Amino acid sequence: GALRLVVPGTPCGQTVTPLVVNFRGVGAAATLAEMTAGQTGLCLLPWVPLMAGGGEPALIEEWKRLALMEPNVQRRQTYRALALVFAELAKELVNWQQALEGWQMQESQVILGWIQQGEQRGIVKNARAALLELVRLRLQDPVPEAVRLAVEGTNDVNTLNRWFRAAATAGTFAEFTAAMRQEP
């Protein structure tokens, strides 16, 4: 639907209606030709894999030629990264990966951030699982709900590691829970 933006306290405003485009119905070759002619902006490059014919090797080569016209290196890298994401959705990933392998390969800071977040989540998830398994095997099976909630609610790897060491060295479950309550 439309979005009405108003200036508070006045009758002034602007109505914005979103444009919805199904890229499957848009020809990749025609879009790339429009870019070459300067009729369409390079900002549509990431969506080319979703367009009709967007996975054809010759079109990907034309895509690369046009992408090199983008003077901003980071934007060019973002086009590449997003094109690969959309190529996967369109089941054209293999052609795109082969064509873009090694092309303009500077690491995107955005994607590196995503990777680091994923790695950190994995580290926290593994630390939680290891700690709960250790408590279950060594101290108390099943792990009490309060302890399980405390472990699963903790995102700090250092805290989880400290609790793991406490679970490994505690003589009793009470010693372990006392160590959990201590400040680092």
Side-chain angles (χ1 to χ4, degrees), residues 24 26 84 86 139:
R24 278 190 190 177
V26 176
L84 288 171
F86 292 138
L139 300 170

Side-chain angles (χ1 to χ4, degrees), residues 52-103:
E56 295 176 18
L59 287 174
I60 298 171
E61 290 305 312
E62 176 64 5
W63 183 97
K64 287 165 51 177
R65 185 188 71 75
L66 287 167
L68 286 173
M69 294 172 60
E70 170 56 59
N72 183 302
V73 175
Q74 286 184 322
R75 192 171 299 136
R76 197 166 46 232
Q77 292 167 357
T78 301
Y79 290 167
R80 177 189 186 279
L82 291 173
L84 288 171
V85 169
F86 292 138
E88 182 178 14
L89 292 173
K91 310 292 190 241
E92 298 287 356
L93 184 59
V94 172
N95 286 346
W96 279 89
Q97 281 179 324
Q98 288 173 351
L100 295 179
E101 186 175 352
W103 182 82

Side-chain angles (χ1 to χ4, degrees), residues 131-132 135-136 138-140 142-151 159 162-183:
L131 173 58
L132 290 173
V135 170
R136 187 186 70 74
R138 248 192 115 250
L139 300 170
Q140 189 160 343
V143 176
E145 185 72 3
V147 171
R148 185 188 66 76
L149 290 173
V151 169
T159 299
R162 183 172 52 82
W163 291 352
F164 185 89
R165 286 188 300 278
T169 59
T172 65
F173 183 75
E175 286 178 20
F176 166 68
T177 55
M180 284 182 75
R181 289 188 291 272
Q182 291 176 352
E183 292 294 320

